[in-house]
């Protein structure tokens, strides 16, 4: 890792703490039977869950199924939701498991190449950035999904390594190790990509 | 890299990029399914029924207590199961009880007693008939 580079801002971590409080409130509302909280929870969580499922499954259709599965499971919990200490990590865990279940059920899809999956897109309609997004997506497709998912959770879901460990079911240090290995592999793929040109 | 710090190169690589948004029609589909599940009767199994129903819970606890009391009563009435190995023999000879059990010859019939080894009764050597049965 290049230590001379400036540290990353902790703004996203602060934002996540606020989001965590909101999610806890929403879980408490759902536990109390307030149905409208489900809509608010969807708006707060859908992009993170969809992204995780997409990075895990490599299929937009499967990712949509996972989002539905997660919210149905949330609805089933009822009053037990009040006991969830970290709703964001809990929902990510449910989403990760649902995605893995889906992959197992549709094992025939594992043979399909994931190179075409758009893991990342540009917010603006910028031709150059769109090309970049396609290239980065191709790089990410070259990673094992266990490493790819950790990068997603760290960069786009704002999870700590401790939370990532909880989500993917490994110790914190294993999660950190997978992240570092994933980044190293990403760099190697990038170097190979440049050498190939 | 410090704990929980994001890799700067990966950060730059993915800067300005984001995962795709959910399909627009997914919201209504997901929420309809979730609301339907919330409105539906909760799925219960036999154990949750027992746990959540006070009467059934008491009946289950009563049955368990009755079985336990019956077991204690029967054991107390019949007494402890007699040991097949004389404790005095074990103490005197410093023989492990399981080892003695392994060496104990299987009786041919209830009337036949072993005549050799540690298990022969003190009086059996003198009171045996020709077939080896105690007289």
């Amino acid at each position: 890792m290049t230590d001379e580079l400036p540290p990353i801002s902790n703004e996203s971590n602060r934002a996540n703490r606020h989001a965590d409080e909101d999610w806890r409130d929403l879980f408490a509302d759902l536990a109390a039977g307030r149905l409208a909280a489900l809509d608010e929870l969807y708006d707060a969580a859908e992009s993170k869950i969809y992204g995780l499922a997409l990075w895990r499954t490599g299929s937009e259709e499967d990712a949509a199924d996972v989002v539905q599965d997660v919210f149905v499971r949330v609805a089933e919990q009822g009053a037990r939701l009040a006991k969830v200490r970290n709703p964001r990590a809990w929902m990510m865990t449910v989403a990760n498991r649902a995605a893995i279940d889906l992959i197992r059920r549709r094992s025939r899809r594992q043979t399909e190449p994931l190179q075409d999956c758009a893991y990342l897109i540009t917010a603006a309609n910028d031709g150059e950035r769109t090309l970049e997004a396609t290239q980065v997506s191709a790089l990410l497709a070259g990673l094992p999904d266990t490493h790819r998912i950790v990068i997603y959770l760290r960069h786009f879901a704002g999870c700590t390594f401790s939370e990532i460990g909880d989500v993917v079911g490994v110790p914190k240090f294993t999660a950190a190790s997978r992240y570092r290995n994933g980044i190293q592999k990403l760099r190697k793929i990038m170097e190979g990509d440049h050498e190939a040109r | 890299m410090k704990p929980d710090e994001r890799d700067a190169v990966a950060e730059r690589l993915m800067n300005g990029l984001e995962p795709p948004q959910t399909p627009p029609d997914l919201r209504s589909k997901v929420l309809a399914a979730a609301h339907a599940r919330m409105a539906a009767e909760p799925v219960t199994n036999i154990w949750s029924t027992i746990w959540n129903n006070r009467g059934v819970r008491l009946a289950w606890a009563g049955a368990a207590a009755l079985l336990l009391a019956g077991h204690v009563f029967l054991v107390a009435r019949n007494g402890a199961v007699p040991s097949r190995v004389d404790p005095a023999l074990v103490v005197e000879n410093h023989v492990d009880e399981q080892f003695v059990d392994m060496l104990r010859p299987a009786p041919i019939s209830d009337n036949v007693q072993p005549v050799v080894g540690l298990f022969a009764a003190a009086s059996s050597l003198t009171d045996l008939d020709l077939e080896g049965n105690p007289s």
Side-chain angles (χ1 to χ4, degrees):
Chain A
M1 296 292 160
T2 50
D3 290 328
E4 69 274 11
L5 292 168
I8 305 301
S9 164
N10 285 326
E11 283 298 321
S12 59
N13 287 344
R14 277 197 288 274
N16 279 331
R17 275 199 290 276
H18 290 301
D20 286 346
E21 288 165 15
D22 294 342
W23 288 35
R24 265 194 290 273
D25 291 343
L26 291 172
F27 265 44
D29 287 347
L30 278 172
R34 197 170 72 84
L35 296 181
L38 201 57
D39 298 36
E40 294 176 44
L41 184 65
Y42 180 89
D43 294 335
E46 51 92 14
S47 63
K48 286 187 171 65
I49 292 170
Y50 181 77
L52 182 146
L54 184 68
W55 280 48
R56 177 61 95 174
T57 63
S59 157
E60 291 180 5
E61 188 187 341
D62 286 348
D65 287 348
V66 168
V67 173
Q68 177 162 340
D69 198 7
V70 169
F71 277 89
V72 168
R73 291 188 194 188
V74 167
E76 284 173 350
Q77 296 304 311
R80 280 175 291 191
L81 290 173
K83 295 177 185 171
V84 177
R85 284 186 293 179
N86 186 343
R88 184 167 53 89
W90 185 85
M91 287 190 77
M92 290 292 166
T93 307
V94 173
N96 188 48
R97 290 177 186 172
I100 291 169
D101 287 347
L102 196 68
I103 290 169
R104 285 177 183 159
R105 284 203 304 271
R106 300 180 181 178
S107 55
R108 59 190 167 82
R109 292 196 175 192
Q110 283 181 315
T111 57
E112 292 177 6
L114 301 177
Q115 303 292 333
D116 296 335
C117 178
Y119 292 108
L120 292 171
I121 58 167
T122 52
N125 193 9
D126 181 346
E128 192 178 334
R129 296 292 288 161
T130 303
L131 182 63
E132 204 174 313
T134 308
Q135 289 170 341
V136 176
S137 292
L139 292 174
L140 290 167
L143 290 178
D145 61 344
T146 50
H147 293 73
R148 190 170 55 239
I149 205 71
V150 171
I151 293 174
Y152 173 83
L153 289 166
R154 187 71 201 100
H155 282 267
F156 297 104
C159 292
T160 63
F161 286 127
S162 180
E163 288 173 332
I164 293 170
D166 290 342
V167 170
V168 299
V170 297
K172 172 186 176 178
F173 297 107
T174 306
S177 173
R178 282 187 187 175
Y179 176 75
R180 281 193 296 272
N181 288 340
I183 296 295
Q184 281 173 1
K185 283 180 183 171
L186 205 55
R187 286 182 177 183
K188 280 183 185 171
I189 295 169
M190 285 166 67
E191 286 165 7
D193 201 31
H194 283 300
E195 283 170 8
R197 287 176 190 180
Chain B
M1 190 170 62
K2 292 174 186 173
D4 282 333
E5 189 174 300
R6 291 192 287 206
D7 180 73
V9 173
E11 189 82 353
R12 285 178 189 170
L13 183 69
M14 294 183 273
N15 185 33
L17 306 178
E18 59 186 33
Q21 297 299 308
T22 51
D25 59 335
L26 187 62
R27 189 179 195 278
S28 56
K29 188 180 156 191
V30 168
L31 289 176
H35 281 296
R37 183 55 62 95
M38 279 187 93
E41 286 291 316
V43 180
T44 56
N45 59 35
I46 184 69
W47 296 110
S48 60
T49 305
I50 290 172
W51 187 250
N52 294 324
N53 188 307
R54 184 181 169 83
V56 179
R57 201 165 62 227
L58 279 172
W60 179 81
L66 194 65
L67 280 171
L68 184 65
H71 174 74
V72 169
F73 173 74
L74 288 173
V75 168
R77 194 181 66 171
N78 296 335
V81 178
S83 171
R84 292 165 57 193
V85 178
D86 185 3
L89 179 70
V90 174
V91 172
E92 284 173 18
N93 296 289
H94 305 284
V95 179
D96 182 77
E97 191 171 341
Q98 284 186 332
F99 186 60
V100 170
D101 260 349
M102 286 168 61
L103 293 177
R104 181 189 291 280
I108 298 167
S109 75
D110 290 338
N111 296 327
V112 176
Q113 295 295 321
V115 294
V116 294
L118 299 170
F119 313 104
S123 61
S124 61
L125 288 173
T126 55
D127 298 328
L128 294 177
D129 60 16
L130 291 173
E131 291 180 2
N133 294 319
S135 55

